[in-house]
Amino acid sequence: MEAPTGQRTVGAGHSYYTGAGRRIGCFWAVLLLLALAVLLLAGVMHVDVRLLMPQLGDQVDGPPVTNVMFLKTHKTASSTVLNILFRFAETHNLSAALPAGGRFHLGYPWLFLARYVEGAEQGGPERRFNIMCNHLRFNPPEVQKVMPNDTFYFSILRNPVFQLESSFVYYKSHVPAFRNVTSLDAFLASPWAYYNQSLGLSNAYARNSMWFDLGFDNDAPPKEDYVRARLLDVERRFQLLLIAEHFDESMVLLRRLLRWRLDDVVAFRLNARSRHSVTSLSPAGQERAKHWCALDWRLYQHFNRTFWARLRAELSPRRLRSEVARLRERRRELAALCLQDSEPKNKSQITDFRLRPYQSGRADIMGYNLKPGLDNQTLQTCQRMVMPELQYMAHLYTLQFPDKPPKNIAFLEA
């Protein structure tokens, strides 16, 4: 005899909700066991649990991209990006295309050649590397000789007004155009009184330096057809151009495209100047800077637009805000874990001389002090995050080429 409809419904519902309850209970039991296992592992290995927490729920779709070429432009927050890439290379046991011999850059300011890379010997079998991010002047055919075919190419741009101000302070004593002028405003009021075009490469930092880093002529007239053709060249060569003024949003997008974990792109600001060594251009000076660096200005305007279009295509505004908040919170957690205090320090205040950054021109380049008493694994993680560019490059060089003489960082021995 068939049961009444109401009875059958109640019975089926009871069975359904009982089963669902069991499944939910099992899920939370597994999650609790996983959390306990993490805590136990941290205790046994003496690892700060704050290093392990982001791994829970940090889901990534697909394997990470491990072949990456970053064109490191000058004075654009690129040293912070380089630190991210060096850390990824070291923690994942990847190879980096490093400058050969005692050099610290890949032939800059000359166009890059494959022979500038240690291990890319002429006449032998071509060797490919996973990560490339040291300063070079972009030369695609030669870069392709040392990087795999599936390499992800990206770079970073900065508003050329602020980029030029930073270059003036940082390269004041190195660039002929800057040496004999008291301020950038004075230079921009009459640039041709100081800028000698015939000096070529030695003045590259003084005009359209991002354009120059991309391998183009930084003194070319900014004619519309020429500019459009070069912008198209950049779009064809690079999958992404980041924007320094929106660094956190840039890291969110980069992480998404590379399928990396959150901690892979969290970073402390490196190679930054102290506030007292930053000067502001007058409004008239800013307009002159845009005119003087017209090629960089067009480059920045174009890729600032495409950057935001790419972000909107990849993430909703709400999701973007959430991801940026996660990134910033994780940076705060690691700063609290690693740093003696959250403020960067000038050279004289950094107690570990190995962590002192290189100083250039009138710039006062800041660094960090680590907390004392960190366990070994935490110390290693924190050291990687604050290690200045030259020291990290020398460190990776010794790891990859233990049979070759180490890089000599002269200013650390002074």
Side-chain angles (χ1 to χ4, degrees), residues 92-197:
H92 292 80
N93 197 29
L94 302 176
S95 61
L98 301 173
R103 298 187 184 93
F104 289 90
H105 54 71
L106 293 167
Y108 196 88
W110 293 275
L111 282 169
F112 172 77
L113 298 175
R115 62 182 174 84
Y116 297 151
V117 175
E118 188 69 75
E121 287 82 9
Q122 296 293 304
E126 289 187 348
R127 179 175 176 182
R128 296 289 193 270
F129 298 85
N130 300 115
I131 304 291
M132 188 179 208
C133 55
N134 284 91
H135 274 308
L136 60 83
R137 191 176 179 206
F138 195 52
N139 186 8
E142 290 292 310
V143 171
Q144 290 166 352
K145 290 180 181 179
V146 296
M147 296 302 293
N149 293 333
D150 64 348
T151 295
F152 181 95
Y153 288 79
F154 78 106
S155 188
I156 187 168
L157 303 175
R158 183 183 182 188
N159 185 318
V161 173
F162 308 123
Q163 193 266 352
L164 184 63
E165 184 274 330
S166 182
S167 291
F168 181 83
V169 174
Y170 197 86
Y171 300 113
K172 181 73 170 67
S173 58
H174 300 298
V175 176
F178 292 157
R179 282 181 192 147
N180 300 315
V181 62
T182 56
S183 69
L184 183 57
D185 265 314
F187 171 82
L188 291 168
S190 184
W192 291 109
Y194 307 98
Y195 185 87
N196 186 344
Q197 195 168 340

Side-chain angles (χ1 to χ4, degrees), residues 58-74:
D58 189 15
Q59 297 300 317
V60 179
D61 295 329
V65 175
T66 54
N67 296 325
V68 177
M69 192 278 167
F70 172 60
L71 178 63
K72 189 179 187 296
T73 49
H74 287 79

Side-chain angles (χ1 to χ4, degrees), residues 132-348:
M132 188 179 208
C133 55
N134 284 91
H135 274 308
L136 60 83
R137 191 176 179 206
F138 195 52
N139 186 8
E142 290 292 310
V143 171
Q144 290 166 352
K145 290 180 181 179
V146 296
M147 296 302 293
N149 293 333
D150 64 348
T151 295
F152 181 95
Y153 288 79
F154 78 106
S155 188
I156 187 168
L157 303 175
R158 183 183 182 188
N159 185 318
V161 173
F162 308 123
Q163 193 266 352
L164 184 63
E165 184 274 330
S166 182
S167 291
F168 181 83
V169 174
Y170 197 86
Y171 300 113
K172 181 73 170 67
S173 58
H174 300 298
V175 176
F178 292 157
R179 282 181 192 147
N180 300 315
V181 62
T182 56
S183 69
L184 183 57
D185 265 314
F187 171 82
L188 291 168
S190 184
W192 291 109
Y194 307 98
Y195 185 87
N196 186 344
Q197 195 168 340
S198 66
L199 293 178
L201 301 182
S202 60
N203 267 332
Y205 299 115
R207 191 184 193 196
N208 294 310
S209 71
M210 294 182 289
W211 195 264
F212 181 86
D213 290 347
L214 285 161
F216 306 139
D217 179 3
N218 62 319
D219 285 321
K223 295 179 180 179
E224 189 64 25
D225 289 348
Y226 168 75
V227 171
R228 286 184 178 180
R230 299 293 77 77
L231 293 178
L232 186 58
D233 287 341
V234 177
E235 287 183 342
R236 288 170 177 162
R237 296 289 184 184
F238 292 85
Q239 284 96 316
L240 178 65
L241 273 85
L242 309 176
I243 301 298
E245 285 79 11
H246 304 287
F247 191 84
D248 289 346
E249 292 84 354
S250 294
M251 291 301 101
V252 166
L253 183 54
L254 181 68
R255 174 183 177 244
R256 183 178 180 87
L257 297 178
L258 296 182
R259 300 187 295 273
W260 287 7
R261 296 194 176 276
L262 180 61
D263 274 12
D264 293 331
V265 299
V266 176
F268 303 141
R269 191 179 178 201
L270 297 179
N271 206 37
R273 292 174 291 157
S274 63
R275 292 186 183 93
H276 73 77
S277 62
V278 177
T279 58
S280 297
L281 280 171
S282 66
Q286 292 189 24
E287 292 305 311
R288 290 176 183 138
K290 294 175 187 177
H291 179 75
W292 175 246
C293 295
L295 297 170
D296 271 1
W297 180 241
R298 286 292 305 277
L299 179 74
Y300 177 79
Q301 284 184 305
H302 177 82
F303 285 103
N304 188 36
R305 287 193 298 268
T306 62
F307 171 79
W308 287 104
R310 185 72 175 275
L311 262 181
R312 286 191 293 269
E314 293 282 343
L315 295 162
S316 69
R318 183 177 179 181
R319 177 70 182 275
L320 176 60
R321 288 193 297 270
S322 173
E323 291 295 315
V324 169
R326 283 185 67 205
L327 178 72
R328 291 173 178 170
E329 177 59 26
R330 184 56 179 159
R331 183 187 296 128
R332 286 190 289 268
E333 290 174 358
L334 288 171
L337 172 66
C338 294
L339 305 181
Q340 200 164 53
D341 56 60
S342 58
E343 290 296 315
K345 303 296 182 184
N346 64 37
K347 176 185 174 181
S348 64

